[in-house]
Amino acid sequence: MKLLFELSKENRRMNLIPPCDVPEYSFDESLLRKEELRLPQISEVDLSRHYTRLAKQAHGVNDGFYPLGSCTMKYNPRIDEEAAALEGFTAIHPLQPQSTLQGALQVIYEAKELLCEITGMDDMTFQPAAGAHGEYTGLLLIRKYHQSRNDTKRVNIIVPDSAHGTNPASATMAGFKVINVPSNENGGVDLEALRNAVGEDTAGLMLTNPNTLGLFDPNILEITRIVHEAGGLCYYDGANMNAIMGTVRPGDMGFDCIHLNLHKTFGTPHGGGGPGSGPVGCKEFLKQFLPKYTVSKNMDGNYYLDVAENSMGKVRSFYGNFLVVVKALTYIKSLGKEGIKEASCNAVLNANYLMNKLKGYYDVAYDQICMHEFVLSLDKMKHETGVSAMDVAKQSLDFGIHPPTMYFPLIVHEALMLEPTETESKETLDEAAEIFIEIARMAHEDPEYLHEAPHNCLIRRPDEVEAARKPILRYEFENDQ
Ligand SMILES: *Cc1c(COP(=O)(O)O)cnc(C)c1O
């Protein structure tokens, strides 16, 4: 496929830039560039076709099934986008007088109240821009807490091996040392190992729950008790809230702080490069350290920006990605109390339905009732046929399905992780099951064919490390100096 610069023809033009509506200003000659910018020259119709062609090569939730585990690629209602596009939200500036921003502040305030109710927390900041940023912010809360008590020997954060990969990374970024604890044979935290890991140097525990195996830890109350008794705090990675919202609350399980991924669970599409939002909720005793600003309401019913007593300062400019908060509030209000619970119950039901359809054709890594996602291990298939998790994932592309998450979590060999989400119908799940069963049959009959998959995609097997580490983001002109 040709790039824009390759489509360029001298003096092709279009008229997309609106007329200038501010006074023109002439810069000094010395400040002007000496050569013309090398921009592609292209007509409007060719530009439109170029992007339409590109869009057709991509796969989104609107194209088909997207069971990318750990990512909650569900369909997000249009009404969320409509609310976020309202001029009263898009045409405001954070430095306007607060009296003229009452509606926007009310959105943040109400979203905070509702999400605190859903998570069982007492206060929340919307500053963090995404999940990992929220983890970092939550860990700074824990750090501030220990510092405020002059408890400076608490430098360790305990992270189970079934945690999301961002957990150890964020703990390290926040200046802690990461202590790994293994899983037991049921995929939960090994309690004996946890008891041995905690001590006077424990700052806290970060728990991804449901964990990356899609399992809810049945010992969760015991886990938080062990950590609290050792003097540590408990951080809940709530990016998987889609499995439990409306049913159980991390605040009731003994957790002191949590982050959510609004761009997974609450009405903003995940992927596409953002923006996201990773609000952090906390219990009363941690409120004093929250980043500035938070939104409060005074006796007269007016909203205002508040600064916590011992605030850690800012972790991002202004109030975070505000329009994502608008979408979250719209999402929660349009579903209502019952709808929120029903959504997560259906996410769990759909995952169990699909898992049971695939059993017998694929090995389930931890064969028990799952939450919103489950993990297959293709270890045996690979031994028997040579077909790997990568081959199966690539073949699913030819059937118009986005591949599951591959080789994650790391504790499962040849892992494929599927998260169907609640917005898929039974028909879609049945169809997807048939496709994966067909791929399992192909693996035994014609493994060579799967090694070459996908057969119908423009890009087939890129060097993924190279693509991630050294992306080519700039057009190389032939006569470039
Ligand atoms: C997605 C996810 C994260 C990270 O969220 P980002 O917004 O990608 O930074 C953290 N934990 C879990 C369990 C997740 O699924």
Side-chain angles (χ1 to χ4, degrees):
M1 201 177 137
K2 283 193 168 173
L3 301 175
L4 270 184
F5 284 100
E6 293 160 351
L7 291 170
S8 179
K9 284 271 178 284
E10 199 147 343
N11 293 324
R12 290 279 157 84
R13 288 281 184 276
M14 70 178 94
N15 237 336
L16 287 182
I17 299 177
C20 182
D21 62 356
V22 291
E24 284 198 22
Y25 181 84
S26 299
F27 288 98
D28 187 87
E29 190 71 24
S30 66
L31 295 171
L32 300 181
R33 58 168 60 245
K34 304 283 176 284
E35 286 167 41
E36 281 210 1
L37 266 182
R38 286 187 293 191
L39 294 174
Q41 305 188 39
I42 193 163
S43 68
E44 193 170 324
V45 61
D46 288 336
L47 183 72
S48 170
R49 284 178 188 157
H50 175 76
Y51 284 112
T52 303
R53 257 196 308 270
L54 275 179
K56 282 184 185 162
Q57 301 296 343
H59 183 98
V61 170
N62 291 322
D63 296 295
F65 193 44
Y66 206 137
L68 188 66
S70 197
C71 290
T72 315
M73 304 302 288
K74 63 184 179 183
Y75 177 80
N76 290 285
R78 297 324 298 168
I79 190 172
D80 303 345
E81 297 294 331
E82 275 171 38
L86 292 173
E87 206 173 56
F89 294 136
T90 59
I92 50 178
H93 193 281
L95 295 179
Q96 267 175 242
Q98 288 180 38
S99 62
T100 66
L101 292 172
Q102 286 297 305
L105 296 178
Q106 186 178 352
V107 166
I108 297 177
Y109 187 85
E110 286 190 14
K112 171 180 84 172
E113 297 260 287
L114 291 171
L115 289 169
C116 279
E117 188 179 335
I118 290 171
T119 54
M121 294 290 154
D122 297 318
D123 206 350
M124 189 167 278
T125 170
F126 289 95
Q127 268 215 339
H133 195 193
E135 291 169 25
Y136 172 76
T137 308
L139 287 161
L140 290 188
L141 286 178
I142 293 178
R143 207 183 153 85
K144 279 276 200 187
Y145 168 78
H146 292 306
Q147 278 173 354
S148 73
R149 296 156 48 93
N150 286 325
D151 200 350
T152 50
K153 58 193 176 306
R154 297 193 178 270
V155 292
N156 293 341
I157 291 285
I158 297 170
V159 182
D161 63 2
S162 59
H164 194 264
T166 48
N167 292 183
S170 304
T172 307
M173 288 270 295
F176 292 107
K177 191 163 158 253
V178 175
I179 305 290
N180 213 294
V181 292
S183 303
N184 61 26
E185 67 282 2
N186 297 321
V189 174
D190 183 329
L191 292 182
E192 237 0 85
L194 179 63
R195 282 192 194 100
N196 291 332
V198 296
E200 292 197 333
D201 50 4
T202 302
L205 161 94
M206 278 185 104
L207 193 75
T208 302
N209 186 67
N211 63 22
T212 51
L213 299 165
L215 304 176
F216 191 105
D217 202 307
N219 298 318
I220 197 133
L221 294 175
E222 183 62 11
I223 291 171
T224 54
R225 203 181 59 79
I226 293 171
V227 175
H228 281 153
E229 271 180 9
L233 297 189
C234 296
Y235 182 92
Y236 193 96
D237 179 334
N240 291 336
M241 199 69 194
N242 210 47
I244 61 164
M245 59 180 182
T247 302
V248 284
R249 310 193 313 163
D252 300 336
M253 303 173 208
F255 287 87
D256 304 295
C257 49
I258 180 175
H259 85 266
L260 297 170
N261 277 42
L262 299 189
H263 54 290
K264 276 182 185 171
T265 317
F266 294 101
T268 283
H270 181 216
S277 175
V280 170
C282 67
K283 285 288 178 71
E284 188 72 31
F285 72 101
L286 290 174
K287 271 171 75 163
Q288 53 176 315
F289 306 117
L290 281 175
K292 65 178 192 184
Y293 298 94
T294 49
V295 177
S296 299
K297 191 172 163 182
N298 67 20
M299 305 281 250
D300 305 330
N302 291 323
Y303 301 94
Y304 64 97
L305 295 174
D306 209 357
V307 182
E309 204 180 329
N310 298 309
S311 173
M312 66 173 72
K314 287 184 177 176
V315 294
R316 198 181 179 281
S317 53
F318 300 113
Y319 329 116
N321 287 327
F322 168 66
L323 293 177
V324 181
V325 184
V326 175
K327 290 186 218 178
L329 183 63
T330 312
Y331 181 81
I332 297 168
K333 288 206 163 205
S334 56
L335 264 72
K337 210 169 185 157
E338 298 305 316
I340 285 285
K341 180 173 177 167
E342 202 180 324
S344 62
C345 288
N346 280 333
V348 173
L349 182 62
N350 280 0
N352 279 283
Y353 180 73
L354 187 59
M355 178 176 77
N356 277 283
K357 288 217 117 184
L358 296 182
K359 250 188 222 172
Y361 303 93
Y362 294 89
D363 291 329
V364 178
Y366 289 83
D367 194 0
Q368 51 188 285
I369 289 179
C370 67
M371 296 299 289
H372 62 306
E373 62 192 1
F374 59 94
V375 180
L376 303 175
S377 170
L378 276 63
D379 216 17
K380 195 160 120 245
M381 181 182 280
K382 182 146 185 228
H383 278 296
E384 288 174 5
T385 67
V387 167
S388 65
M390 171 76 98
D391 295 339
V392 170
K394 290 288 183 185
Q395 182 58 46
S396 69
L397 284 164
D398 275 346
F399 288 104
I401 285 185
H402 191 287
T405 297
M406 308 177 293
Y407 298 101
F408 185 80
L410 302 174
I411 49 179
V412 174
H413 292 293
E414 293 295 324
L416 283 182
M417 182 193 213
L418 288 95
E419 179 180 8
T421 82
E422 72 277 17
T423 53
E424 299 302 333
S425 66
K426 179 171 177 296
E427 292 73 31
T428 302
L429 298 177
D430 287 338
E431 210 176 293
E434 269 169 38
I435 288 170
F436 282 109
I437 292 167
E438 168 68 8
I439 297 175
R441 191 190 58 75
M442 291 163 76
H444 287 93
E445 286 176 7
D446 192 358
E448 287 309 315
Y449 186 80
L450 294 199
H451 296 327
E452 299 293 320
H455 299 266
N456 304 325
C457 297
L458 189 64
I459 296 173
R460 297 173 60 187
R461 297 225 178 188
D463 179 336
E464 297 187 4
V465 175
E466 187 84 0
R469 297 282 176 232
K470 294 182 188 159
I472 302 170
L473 302 173
R474 182 169 174 272
Y475 186 73
E476 298 278 340
F477 288 98
E478 260 169 40
N479 56 348
D480 222 359
Q481 310 82 354

